[in-house]
Coordinates of all heavy atoms in Angstrom, one line a residue:
M1321 N 171.5 -12.6 85.9 CA 170.3 -13.1 85.3 C 169.1 -12.4 85.9 O 168.1 -12.2 85.1 CB 170.3 -14.6 85.4 CG 171.3 -15.3 84.6 SD 171.3 -17.1 84.9 CE 169.7 -17.6 84.3
I1322 N 169.1 -12.3 87.2 CA 167.9 -11.6 87.8 C 167.8 -10.2 87.3 O 166.7 -9.8 86.9 CB 168.1 -11.6 89.4 CG1 168.0 -13.0 89.9 CG2 167.0 -10.7 90.0 CD1 168.3 -13.1 91.4
K1323 N 168.9 -9.5 87.2 CA 168.8 -8.1 86.6 C 168.3 -8.1 85.2 O 167.5 -7.2 84.8 CB 170.2 -7.4 86.7 CG 170.5 -7.0 88.2 CD 171.8 -6.2 88.2 CE 172.1 -5.6 89.5 NZ 173.4 -4.8 89.5
Q1324 N 168.7 -9.1 84.4 CA 168.3 -9.2 83.0 C 166.8 -9.4 83.0 O 166.0 -8.8 82.2 CB 169.0 -10.3 82.3 CG 170.4 -10.0 81.8 CD 171.1 -11.2 81.2 OE1 170.6 -12.3 81.2 NE2 172.3 -10.9 80.7
Q1325 N 166.3 -10.3 83.9 CA 164.8 -10.6 83.9 C 164.1 -9.3 84.3 O 163.0 -9.0 83.7 CB 164.5 -11.7 84.9 CG 164.8 -13.1 84.4 CD 164.2 -14.2 85.2 OE1 164.0 -14.0 86.4 NE2 164.0 -15.3 84.6
L1326 N 164.5 -8.6 85.4 CA 163.9 -7.4 85.8 C 163.8 -6.4 84.7 O 162.8 -5.7 84.4 CB 164.6 -6.8 87.0 CG 164.4 -7.6 88.3 CD1 165.3 -7.1 89.4 CD2 162.9 -7.6 88.8
D1327 N 165.0 -6.3 84.0 CA 165.1 -5.3 82.9 C 164.1 -5.7 81.8 O 163.4 -4.8 81.2 CB 166.5 -5.3 82.4 CG 166.8 -4.1 81.5 OD1 166.3 -3.0 81.8 OD2 167.4 -4.3 80.4
S1328 N 164.0 -7.0 81.5 CA 163.1 -7.4 80.4 C 161.6 -7.1 80.8 O 160.8 -6.7 80.0 CB 163.2 -8.9 80.2 OG 164.5 -9.3 79.7
A1329 N 161.3 -7.3 82.1 CA 159.9 -7.1 82.5 C 159.5 -5.7 82.7 O 158.4 -5.2 82.3 CB 159.7 -7.9 83.8
W1330 N 160.5 -4.9 83.2 CA 160.1 -3.5 83.6 C 160.9 -2.4 83.0 O 160.6 -1.2 83.2 CB 160.2 -3.4 85.2 CG 159.4 -4.4 85.9 CD1 159.8 -5.5 86.6 CD2 158.0 -4.4 86.0 NE1 158.7 -6.2 87.1 CE2 157.6 -5.5 86.8 CE3 157.0 -3.5 85.5 CZ2 156.3 -5.8 87.0 CZ3 155.7 -3.8 85.8 CH2 155.3 -4.9 86.6
G1331 N 162.0 -2.8 82.2 CA 162.9 -1.8 81.6 C 162.1 -0.8 80.8 O 162.3 0.4 80.8
S1332 N 161.1 -1.3 80.0 CA 160.4 -0.4 79.1 C 159.4 0.5 79.8 O 158.8 1.4 79.3 CB 159.7 -1.2 78.0 OG 158.8 -2.1 78.6
H1333 N 159.2 0.2 81.2 CA 158.3 0.9 82.0 C 159.0 1.9 82.9 O 158.4 2.4 83.9 CB 157.4 0.0 82.8 CG 156.6 -0.9 81.9 ND1 155.5 -0.5 81.2 CD2 156.8 -2.2 81.5 CE1 155.0 -1.5 80.5 NE2 155.7 -2.5 80.7
G1334 N 160.3 2.0 82.7 CA 161.1 3.0 83.5 C 162.1 2.5 84.5 O 162.8 3.2 85.1
L1335 N 162.1 1.1 84.7 CA 163.1 0.6 85.6 C 164.5 0.6 85.0 O 164.7 0.2 83.8 CB 162.8 -0.8 86.0 CG 163.8 -1.5 87.0 CD1 163.5 -1.0 88.4 CD2 163.7 -3.0 87.0
D1336 N 165.4 1.1 85.7 CA 166.9 1.0 85.3 C 167.5 0.2 86.4 O 167.8 0.7 87.5 CB 167.4 2.5 85.3 CG 168.9 2.5 84.9 OD1 169.6 1.4 85.1 OD2 169.4 3.5 84.5
V1337 N 167.8 -1.1 86.1 CA 168.3 -2.0 87.1 C 169.6 -1.5 87.7 O 169.8 -1.7 88.9 CB 168.5 -3.4 86.6 CG1 167.1 -4.1 86.3 CG2 169.3 -3.5 85.4
E1338 N 170.5 -0.9 87.0 CA 171.7 -0.4 87.5 C 171.5 0.7 88.5 O 172.2 0.8 89.5 CB 172.7 -0.1 86.4 CG 173.1 -1.2 85.5 CD 173.7 -2.4 86.3 OE1 174.3 -2.2 87.4 OE2 173.4 -3.6 85.9
R1339 N 170.5 1.6 88.2 CA 170.2 2.7 89.1 C 169.3 2.3 90.2 O 169.5 2.8 91.4 CB 169.5 3.8 88.2 CG 169.2 5.1 89.0 CD 168.2 5.9 88.3 NE 166.9 5.2 88.1 CZ 166.1 5.4 87.0 NH1 166.3 6.3 86.1 NH2 165.0 4.7 86.9
D1340 N 168.3 1.5 90.0 CA 167.3 1.2 90.9 C 167.5 0.0 91.8 O 166.8 -0.1 92.9 CB 165.9 1.1 90.2 CG 165.6 2.4 89.4 OD1 166.0 3.5 89.9 OD2 165.0 2.3 88.3
V1341 N 168.3 -0.9 91.5 CA 168.5 -2.1 92.3 C 169.8 -2.0 93.0 O 170.9 -2.1 92.4 CB 168.4 -3.4 91.4 CG1 168.7 -4.6 92.3 CG2 167.1 -3.5 90.7
A1342 N 169.7 -1.8 94.3 CA 170.9 -1.7 95.2 C 171.5 -3.0 95.5 O 172.8 -3.2 95.5 CB 170.6 -0.9 96.4
A1343 N 170.7 -4.0 95.7 CA 171.1 -5.4 96.1 C 170.0 -6.4 95.9 O 168.8 -6.0 95.9 CB 171.6 -5.3 97.6
I1344 N 170.4 -7.6 95.8 CA 169.4 -8.7 95.7 C 169.7 -9.8 96.7 O 170.9 -10.2 96.7 CB 169.3 -9.3 94.2 CG1 168.9 -8.2 93.2 CG2 168.4 -10.5 94.2 CD1 169.1 -8.6 91.8
T1345 N 168.8 -10.1 97.5 CA 169.0 -11.2 98.5 C 168.3 -12.4 98.1 O 167.1 -12.3 97.8 CB 168.5 -10.7 99.9 OG1 169.2 -9.5 100.3 CG2 168.8 -11.8 101.0
V1346 N 169.0 -13.5 98.0 CA 168.3 -14.7 97.5 C 168.3 -15.9 98.6 O 167.9 -17.0 98.3 CB 168.9 -15.2 96.2 CG1 168.7 -14.2 95.1 CG2 170.4 -15.5 96.4
N1347 N 168.8 -15.6 99.7 CA 169.0 -16.7 100.7 C 168.0 -16.6 101.8 O 168.3 -17.1 102.9 CB 170.4 -16.6 101.3 CG 170.7 -15.3 102.1 OD1 170.0 -14.3 101.9 ND2 171.7 -15.3 102.9
R1348 N 166.8 -16.1 101.6 CA 165.8 -16.0 102.7 C 164.6 -16.8 102.2 O 164.3 -16.9 101.0 CB 165.5 -14.6 103.0 CG 166.6 -13.9 103.6 CD 166.3 -12.4 103.8 NE 167.5 -11.6 104.1 CZ 167.9 -11.4 105.3 NH1 167.3 -11.8 106.3 NH2 169.0 -10.7 105.5
W1349 N 163.9 -17.3 103.1 CA 162.7 -18.2 102.8 C 161.4 -17.4 103.0 O 161.3 -16.8 104.0 CB 162.7 -19.4 103.8 CG 161.8 -20.5 103.5 CD1 160.6 -20.8 104.0 CD2 162.1 -21.5 102.6 NE1 160.1 -21.9 103.4 CE2 161.0 -22.4 102.5 CE3 163.2 -21.8 101.7 CZ2 160.9 -23.5 101.7 CZ3 163.1 -22.9 100.9 CH2 162.0 -23.8 100.9
P1350 N 160.5 -17.4 102.0 CA 159.3 -16.7 102.2 C 158.5 -17.2 103.5 O 158.7 -18.3 103.9 CB 158.5 -17.0 100.9 CG 159.6 -17.3 99.9 CD 160.6 -18.0 100.7
H1351 N 157.7 -16.4 104.0 CA 157.1 -16.7 105.3 C 155.9 -17.6 105.2 O 155.4 -18.1 106.2 CB 156.7 -15.4 106.0 CG 155.5 -14.8 105.5 ND1 155.4 -14.2 104.3 CD2 154.3 -14.6 106.1 CE1 154.2 -13.6 104.1 NE2 153.5 -13.9 105.2
G1352 N 155.4 -17.9 104.0 CA 154.3 -18.9 103.9 C 152.9 -18.2 104.0 O 152.7 -17.3 103.3
Y1353 N 152.1 -18.8 104.8 CA 150.7 -18.3 104.8 C 150.4 -17.3 105.9 O 150.7 -17.5 107.1 CB 149.8 -19.5 105.0 CG 149.7 -20.4 103.8 CD1 150.4 -21.7 103.9 CD2 149.0 -20.1 102.7 CE1 150.4 -22.5 102.8 CE2 149.0 -20.9 101.6 CZ 149.7 -22.1 101.6 OH 149.7 -22.9 100.6
A1354 N 149.8 -16.2 105.5 CA 149.4 -15.2 106.5 C 148.2 -15.7 107.3 O 147.5 -16.6 106.9 CB 148.9 -13.9 105.8
Y1355 N 148.1 -15.2 108.5 CA 147.0 -15.6 109.4 C 145.7 -15.1 108.9 O 145.6 -13.9 108.6 CB 147.2 -15.2 110.8 CG 146.2 -15.7 111.8 CD1 146.2 -17.0 112.2 CD2 145.2 -14.9 112.3 CE1 145.3 -17.5 113.1 CE2 144.3 -15.3 113.2 CZ 144.3 -16.7 113.6 OH 143.4 -17.2 114.4
E1356 N 144.6 -15.9 108.8 CA 143.3 -15.5 108.5 C 142.4 -15.8 109.8 O 142.6 -16.8 110.4 CB 142.7 -16.2 107.3 CG 143.5 -15.9 106.0 CD 142.8 -16.5 104.8 OE1 141.8 -17.2 105.0 OE2 143.4 -16.4 103.7
Y1357 N 141.6 -14.8 110.1 CA 140.7 -15.0 111.3 C 139.7 -16.1 111.1 O 139.2 -16.4 110.0 CB 140.0 -13.7 111.6 CG 140.9 -12.5 111.8 CD1 140.8 -11.4 111.0 CD2 141.8 -12.5 112.9 CE1 141.7 -10.3 111.2 CE2 142.7 -11.5 113.1 CZ 142.6 -10.4 112.3 OH 143.5 -9.3 112.5
M1358 N 139.4 -16.8 112.3 CA 138.5 -17.9 112.2 C 137.4 -17.7 113.2 O 137.7 -17.3 114.4 CB 139.2 -19.2 112.6 CG 140.3 -19.6 111.6 SD 140.9 -21.2 111.8 CE 139.5 -22.1 111.1
D1359 N 136.2 -17.9 112.8 CA 135.0 -17.6 113.7 C 135.1 -18.5 115.0 O 134.6 -18.1 116.0 CB 133.7 -18.0 113.0 CG 133.3 -16.9 112.0 OD1 133.8 -15.8 112.2 OD2 132.4 -17.1 111.2
L1360 N 135.8 -19.6 114.9 CA 135.8 -20.5 116.0 C 136.4 -19.9 117.3 O 136.0 -20.1 118.4 CB 136.6 -21.8 115.6 CG 136.4 -23.0 116.4 CD1 135.0 -23.4 116.5 CD2 137.3 -24.2 115.7
W1361 N 137.5 -19.1 117.1 CA 138.2 -18.6 118.3 C 138.5 -17.1 118.2 O 139.0 -16.5 119.1 CB 139.4 -19.4 118.6 CG 140.3 -19.7 117.5 CD1 141.1 -18.9 116.7 CD2 140.5 -21.0 116.9 NE1 141.7 -19.5 115.7 CE2 141.4 -20.8 115.8 CE3 140.0 -22.2 117.1 CZ2 141.8 -21.9 115.0 CZ3 140.4 -23.3 116.3 CH2 141.2 -23.1 115.3
D1362 N 138.4 -16.5 117.0 CA 138.7 -15.1 116.9 C 137.4 -14.2 117.1 O 136.3 -14.8 116.9 CB 139.3 -14.8 115.5 CG 140.7 -15.3 115.4 OD1 141.5 -15.2 116.4 OD2 141.1 -15.8 114.4
D1363 N 137.6 -13.0 117.4 CA 136.5 -12.0 117.5 C 135.7 -12.0 116.2 O 136.2 -11.9 115.2 CB 137.1 -10.6 117.8 CG 136.0 -9.6 118.2 OD1 134.9 -9.7 117.6 OD2 136.3 -8.8 119.1
H1364 N 134.3 -12.2 116.4 CA 133.5 -12.3 115.2 C 133.5 -11.0 114.4 O 133.1 -11.0 113.2 CB 132.1 -12.7 115.6 CG 132.0 -14.1 116.1 ND1 130.9 -14.9 115.8 CD2 132.9 -14.9 116.8 CE1 131.1 -16.1 116.3 NE2 132.3 -16.1 116.9
A1365 N 133.8 -9.9 115.0 CA 133.9 -8.6 114.3 C 135.1 -8.5 113.4 O 135.2 -7.6 112.5 CB 133.9 -7.5 115.3
W1366 N 136.1 -9.4 113.6 CA 137.3 -9.3 112.8 C 137.1 -10.0 111.4 O 136.5 -11.0 111.3 CB 138.5 -9.9 113.5 CG 138.8 -9.2 114.8 CD1 138.4 -8.0 115.2 CD2 139.8 -9.7 115.7 NE1 138.9 -7.7 116.4 CE2 139.8 -8.7 116.8 CE3 140.5 -10.8 115.9 CZ2 140.6 -8.9 117.9 CZ3 141.3 -11.0 117.0 CH2 141.4 -10.0 118.0
S1367 N 137.6 -9.3 110.4 CA 137.5 -9.9 109.1 C 138.7 -9.3 108.3 O 139.6 -8.7 108.8 CB 136.2 -9.4 108.4 OG 136.3 -8.0 108.2
R1368 N 138.7 -9.6 107.0 CA 139.8 -9.0 106.2 C 139.9 -7.5 106.3 O 141.0 -6.9 106.2 CB 139.7 -9.5 104.7 CG 140.9 -9.2 103.9 CD 140.8 -9.8 102.5 NE 141.9 -9.2 101.7 CZ 142.1 -9.4 100.4 NH1 141.2 -10.2 99.8 NH2 143.1 -8.8 99.8
G1369 N 138.7 -6.9 106.4 CA 138.7 -5.4 106.4 C 138.7 -4.8 107.8 O 138.8 -3.6 108.0
A1370 N 138.7 -5.6 108.9 CA 138.7 -5.0 110.3 C 139.3 -6.0 111.2 O 139.1 -7.2 111.1 CB 137.2 -4.8 110.7
G1371 N 140.2 -5.5 112.1 CA 140.8 -6.3 113.1 C 142.2 -5.7 113.4 O 142.6 -4.6 112.9
P1372 N 142.9 -6.4 114.3 CA 144.2 -5.8 114.7 C 145.2 -5.6 113.6 O 146.0 -4.7 113.7 CB 144.8 -6.9 115.7 CG 143.6 -7.7 116.1 CD 142.6 -7.6 115.0
H1373 N 145.1 -6.4 112.5 CA 146.0 -6.2 111.4 C 145.8 -4.8 110.7 O 146.7 -4.2 110.2 CB 145.9 -7.3 110.4 CG 144.6 -7.3 109.6 ND1 143.4 -7.6 110.2 CD2 144.3 -7.0 108.3 CE1 142.4 -7.5 109.3 NE2 142.9 -7.1 108.2
V1374 N 144.6 -4.3 110.8 CA 144.3 -2.9 110.2 C 145.0 -1.9 111.0 O 145.6 -0.9 110.5 CB 142.8 -2.7 110.1 CG1 142.5 -1.3 109.6 CG2 142.1 -3.7 109.2
T1375 N 145.0 -2.0 112.4 CA 145.7 -1.1 113.2 C 147.2 -1.3 113.0 O 147.9 -0.3 112.8 CB 145.5 -1.5 114.7 OG1 144.1 -1.4 114.9 CG2 146.1 -0.5 115.6
G1376 N 147.7 -2.5 112.8 CA 149.1 -2.7 112.6 C 149.7 -2.2 111.3 O 150.9 -2.0 111.2
R1377 N 148.9 -2.0 110.3 CA 149.4 -1.6 109.0 C 149.2 -0.1 108.8 O 149.4 0.3 107.7 CB 148.6 -2.4 107.9 CG 147.2 -1.9 107.7 CD 146.5 -2.7 106.6 NE 145.2 -2.1 106.3 CZ 144.2 -2.8 105.8 NH1 144.4 -4.1 105.5 NH2 143.1 -2.2 105.5
Q1378 N 149.0 0.6 109.9 CA 148.8 2.1 109.7 C 150.1 2.7 109.1 O 151.2 2.4 109.6 CB 148.4 2.7 111.0 CG 147.0 2.3 111.5 CD 145.9 2.6 110.5 OE1 145.7 3.7 110.1 NE2 145.3 1.5 110.1
Q1379 N 149.9 3.6 108.2 CA 151.0 4.4 107.7 C 151.7 5.1 108.8 O 151.1 5.7 109.7 CB 150.5 5.4 106.6 CG 151.6 6.1 105.9 CD 151.0 7.1 104.8 OE1 149.8 7.2 104.8 NE2 151.9 7.6 104.0
L1380 N 153.1 5.1 108.7 CA 153.9 5.8 109.7 C 154.8 6.7 108.9 O 155.8 6.3 108.3 CB 154.7 4.9 110.5 CG 155.5 5.4 111.7 CD1 154.6 6.0 112.7 CD2 156.3 4.3 112.3
G1381 N 154.5 8.0 108.8 CA 155.3 8.9 108.0 C 155.3 8.5 106.6 O 154.3 8.2 105.9
Q1382 N 156.6 8.3 106.0 CA 156.7 7.8 104.7 C 156.8 6.3 104.6 O 157.2 5.7 103.5 CB 158.0 8.4 104.1 CG 157.8 9.9 103.8 CD 156.7 10.2 102.8 OE1 156.7 9.7 101.7 NE2 155.7 11.0 103.2
I1383 N 156.4 5.6 105.6 CA 156.5 4.1 105.6 C 155.0 3.6 105.5 O 154.2 3.9 106.3 CB 157.1 3.6 106.9 CG1 158.5 4.1 107.1 CG2 157.0 2.1 106.9 CD1 159.2 3.8 108.4
S1384 N 154.8 2.8 104.5 CA 153.5 2.1 104.3 C 153.8 0.6 104.3 O 154.8 0.2 103.8 CB 152.8 2.6 103.0 OG 152.2 3.8 103.2
I1385 N 152.8 -0.1 104.8 CA 153.0 -1.6 105.0 C 152.3 -2.3 103.9 O 151.1 -2.1 103.6 CB 152.4 -2.0 106.3 CG1 152.9 -1.1 107.5 CG2 152.6 -3.5 106.6 CD1 154.3 -1.3 107.8
A1386 N 153.1 -3.2 103.2 CA 152.5 -4.1 102.2 C 153.0 -5.5 102.4 O 154.2 -5.8 102.3 CB 152.9 -3.6 100.8
N1387 N 152.1 -6.4 102.7 CA 152.3 -7.8 102.7 C 151.0 -8.5 103.0 O 150.0 -7.9 103.3 CB 153.4 -8.3 103.7 CG 153.1 -7.8 105.1 OD1 152.0 -8.1 105.6 ND2 154.0 -7.2 105.8
S1388 N 151.0 -9.8 102.8 CA 149.7 -10.5 102.9 C 149.2 -10.5 104.4 O 148.0 -10.6 104.6 CB 149.8 -12.0 102.4 OG 150.9 -12.7 103.0
D1389 N 150.1 -10.4 105.3 CA 149.7 -10.4 106.7 C 148.9 -9.1 107.0 O 148.0 -9.1 107.8 CB 150.9 -10.3 107.7 CG 151.8 -11.6 107.5 OD1 151.5 -12.6 108.2 OD2 152.8 -11.5 106.8
S1390 N 149.3 -8.0 106.3 CA 148.6 -6.7 106.5 C 147.2 -6.8 106.0 O 146.4 -5.8 106.2 CB 149.4 -5.6 105.9 OG 149.3 -5.6 104.5
E1391 N 146.8 -7.8 105.2 CA 145.5 -8.0 104.7 C 144.8 -9.1 105.4 O 143.6 -9.3 105.2 CB 145.5 -8.3 103.2 CG 146.0 -7.2 102.3 CD 145.0 -6.1 102.2 OE1 143.8 -6.3 102.1 OE2 145.5 -4.9 102.2
S1392 N 145.5 -9.8 106.3 CA 144.9 -11.0 107.0 C 144.3 -11.9 105.9 O 143.2 -12.4 106.0 CB 143.9 -10.6 108.0 OG 143.4 -11.8 108.7
Y1393 N 145.1 -12.1 104.9 CA 144.7 -13.0 103.8 C 145.9 -13.7 103.2 O 146.9 -13.1 102.9 CB 144.0 -12.1 102.7 CG 143.4 -12.9 101.6 CD1 142.1 -13.5 101.8 CD2 143.9 -13.0 100.3 CE1 141.5 -14.2 100.9 CE2 143.3 -13.7 99.3 CZ 142.1 -14.3 99.6 OH 141.5 -15.1 98.6
A1394 N 145.8 -15.1 103.1 CA 147.0 -15.9 102.9 C 147.5 -15.9 101.5 O 148.6 -16.5 101.3 CB 146.7 -17.3 103.4
Y1395 N 146.8 -15.4 100.6 CA 147.1 -15.7 99.2 C 147.7 -14.5 98.5 O 147.7 -13.4 99.0 CB 145.9 -16.3 98.4 CG 145.5 -17.5 99.1 CD1 144.5 -17.5 100.1 CD2 146.2 -18.7 98.9 CE1 144.1 -18.6 100.8 CE2 145.8 -19.9 99.6 CZ 144.8 -19.8 100.5 OH 144.5 -20.9 101.2
V1396 N 148.3 -14.8 97.3 CA 149.2 -13.7 96.7 C 148.4 -12.5 96.3 O 148.9 -11.4 96.3 CB 150.0 -14.3 95.5 CG1 149.1 -14.6 94.3 CG2 151.2 -13.5 95.2
N1397 N 147.1 -12.7 96.0 CA 146.3 -11.5 95.7 C 146.1 -10.6 96.9 O 145.9 -9.4 96.7 CB 144.9 -11.9 95.0 CG 144.2 -12.9 95.8 OD1 144.8 -13.9 96.2 ND2 142.9 -12.8 95.9
G1398 N 146.2 -11.1 98.1 CA 146.3 -10.3 99.3 C 147.5 -9.4 99.3 O 147.5 -8.2 99.6
A1399 N 148.6 -10.0 99.0 CA 149.9 -9.3 98.9 C 149.8 -8.2 97.8 O 150.3 -7.0 98.0 CB 151.1 -10.2 98.6
I1400 N 149.2 -8.5 96.7 CA 149.1 -7.5 95.6 C 148.2 -6.4 96.0 O 148.5 -5.2 95.8 CB 148.6 -8.2 94.3 CG1 149.7 -9.2 93.8 CG2 148.3 -7.2 93.3 CD1 149.3 -10.1 92.7
D1401 N 147.0 -6.7 96.6 CA 146.1 -5.7 97.1 C 146.8 -4.8 98.1 O 146.6 -3.6 98.1 CB 144.9 -6.3 97.8 CG 144.0 -7.0 96.8 OD1 144.1 -6.8 95.5 OD2 143.1 -7.8 97.2
S1402 N 147.6 -5.4 99.0 CA 148.3 -4.5 100.0 C 149.3 -3.6 99.4 O 149.5 -2.5 99.8 CB 148.9 -5.4 101.1 OG 150.1 -6.1 100.6
A1403 N 150.0 -4.1 98.3 CA 150.9 -3.2 97.6 C 150.2 -2.1 97.0 O 150.7 -0.9 97.0 CB 151.7 -4.1 96.6
Y1404 N 149.1 -2.3 96.4 CA 148.3 -1.3 95.8 C 147.9 -0.2 96.8 O 148.0 1.0 96.6 CB 147.0 -1.9 95.1 CG 146.1 -0.9 94.4 CD1 146.5 -0.4 93.1 CD2 144.9 -0.5 95.0 CE1 145.7 0.5 92.5 CE2 144.1 0.4 94.3 CZ 144.5 0.9 93.1 OH 143.7 1.8 92.4
R1405 N 147.4 -0.7 98.0 CA 147.0 0.2 99.0 C 148.2 1.0 99.5 O 148.1 2.2 99.7 CB 146.4 -0.6 100.2 CG 146.1 0.2 101.5 CD 145.6 -0.6 102.6 NE 146.3 -1.8 102.9 CZ 147.6 -1.9 103.3 NH1 148.3 -0.9 103.7 NH2 148.1 -3.1 103.5
A1406 N 149.3 0.3 99.7 CA 150.5 1.0 100.3 C 151.0 2.1 99.3 O 151.3 3.2 99.8 CB 151.6 0.0 100.6
V1407 N 151.0 1.8 98.0 CA 151.5 2.8 97.1 C 150.5 4.0 97.1 O 150.9 5.2 97.0 CB 151.6 2.2 95.7 CG1 151.9 3.3 94.6 CG2 152.8 1.2 95.7
R1408 N 149.2 3.7 97.1 CA 148.2 4.8 97.2 C 148.4 5.7 98.4 O 148.2 6.9 98.3 CB 146.8 4.2 97.1 CG 146.3 3.8 95.7 CD 144.9 3.3 95.7 NE 144.0 4.2 96.2 CZ 143.3 5.1 95.5 NH1 143.5 5.1 94.2 NH2 142.4 5.9 96.0
E1409 N 148.7 5.0 99.5 CA 148.9 5.8 100.8 C 150.0 6.8 100.6 O 149.9 7.9 101.1 CB 149.3 4.9 101.9 CG 148.1 4.1 102.5 CD 148.6 3.1 103.6 OE1 149.8 3.1 103.9 OE2 147.7 2.4 104.1
L1410 N 151.0 6.4 99.8 CA 152.2 7.3 99.7 C 152.1 8.3 98.5 O 152.9 9.2 98.5 CB 153.5 6.4 99.4 CG 153.9 5.5 100.6 CD1 155.0 4.6 100.2 CD2 154.4 6.4 101.8
T1411 N 151.1 8.1 97.7 CA 151.0 8.9 96.5 C 149.7 9.8 96.5 O 149.6 10.6 95.6 CB 151.1 8.1 95.2 OG1 150.1 7.1 95.2 CG2 152.4 7.5 95.1
T1412 N 148.8 9.6 97.4 CA 147.6 10.4 97.4 C 147.5 11.2 98.7 O 148.2 11.0 99.6 CB 146.3 9.5 97.3 OG1 146.3 8.6 98.4 CG2 146.3 8.8 96.0
Ligands
LIG1821 C1 153.9 -23.7 99.9 C2 153.1 -22.5 99.6 C3 152.3 -22.5 98.5 C4 151.5 -21.4 98.2 N1 150.6 -21.4 97.2 C5 149.9 -20.3 96.8 C6 149.1 -20.4 95.7 O1 148.9 -21.4 95.0 N2 148.3 -19.3 95.4 C7 148.4 -18.1 96.1 O2 147.8 -17.1 95.8 N3 149.3 -18.1 97.2 C8 150.0 -19.1 97.6 N4 150.8 -19.1 98.7 C9 150.9 -17.9 99.5 C10 151.7 -16.8 98.8 O3 153.0 -17.4 98.6 C11 151.8 -15.6 99.8 O4 150.5 -15.1 100.1 C12 152.6 -14.5 99.3 O5 153.9 -15.0 98.9 C13 152.8 -13.4 100.4 O6 153.5 -12.4 99.8 P1 154.2 -11.3 100.7 O7 154.9 -10.3 99.8 O8 153.3 -10.8 101.8 O9 155.4 -12.2 101.5 P2 156.6 -13.1 101.0 O10 156.2 -13.6 99.6 O11 156.9 -14.0 102.1 O12 157.7 -12.0 100.7 C14 158.5 -11.5 101.8 C15 159.9 -11.4 101.3 O13 160.7 -10.7 102.2 C16 162.0 -11.3 102.3 N5 162.6 -10.9 103.6 C17 162.3 -11.4 104.8 N6 163.0 -10.8 105.7 C18 163.8 -10.0 105.0 C19 164.9 -9.1 105.5 N7 165.2 -8.9 106.7 N8 165.5 -8.3 104.5 C20 165.1 -8.4 103.2 N9 164.2 -9.3 102.8 C21 163.5 -10.0 103.7 C22 161.7 -12.8 102.1 O14 162.8 -13.4 101.6 C23 160.6 -12.7 101.0 O15 161.1 -12.8 99.7 C24 151.6 -20.2 99.0 C25 152.5 -20.2 100.1 C26 153.2 -21.3 100.4 C27 154.2 -21.3 101.5

């Protein structure tokens, strides 16, 4: 069913589930909320665009980091923004 859903969503855009999906893991729990810096106890210079997470997400060869932690932003648009950044790192 998962493969059928992926095929419905992305098949017309080039995904071939039999070729492109090696395995699907369904028994893990998402990690919840990424840490966001707080003025109360974090360095005031740290923000979504600057801080240890920016160092931590540096590209390493053909590995780029995409997740909400790498944006220091707890919500799904942070994860989406990070995916966009990571793909650009690998393709530009
Ligand atoms: C209760 C709750 C409610 C939320 N509500 C909202 C909301 O209303 N709006 C909003 O914008 N955001 C919401 N969020 C936050 C949102 O879910 C996260 O920002 C987003 O899911 C982060 O995406 P991610 O890709 O960084 O990480 P995740 O979604 O956590 O994805 C990481 C994936 O990696 C998998 N994984 C982990 N370890 C391994 C491994 N070793 N091998 C293979 N796979 C692995 C996990 O199973 C998971 O599927 C909510 C979060 C929680 C917990």
Side-chain angles (χ1 to χ4, degrees):
M1321 288 176 66
I1322 293 171
K1323 284 184 169 180
Q1324 281 175 357
Q1325 281 195 335
L1326 289 170
D1327 193 43
S1328 297
W1330 302 107
S1332 61
H1333 301 283
L1335 180 79
D1336 178 339
V1337 289
E1338 296 308 327
R1339 179 194 64 206
D1340 300 326
V1341 178
I1344 298 171
T1345 302
V1346 295
N1347 63 340
R1348 295 171 193 270
W1349 194 258
H1351 75 294
Y1353 291 104
Y1355 186 73
E1356 295 183 4
Y1357 300 121
M1358 300 194 70
D1359 282 345
L1360 199 55
W1361 46 70
D1362 289 319
D1363 190 320
H1364 288 217
W1366 295 351
S1367 64
R1368 189 172 169 187
H1373 68 290
V1374 175
T1375 305
R1377 73 183 186 202
Q1378 294 305 301
Q1379 185 179 7
L1380 185 66
Q1382 290 299 302
I1383 299 171
S1384 281
I1385 309 295
N1387 56 51
S1388 57
D1389 300 278
S1390 72
E1391 293 288 321
S1392 186
Y1393 189 72
Y1395 300 95
V1396 75
N1397 46 317
I1400 293 168
D1401 290 346
S1402 74
Y1404 182 78
R1405 172 185 43 73
V1407 170
R1408 281 180 59 90
E1409 284 175 4
L1410 293 170
T1411 56
T1412 57

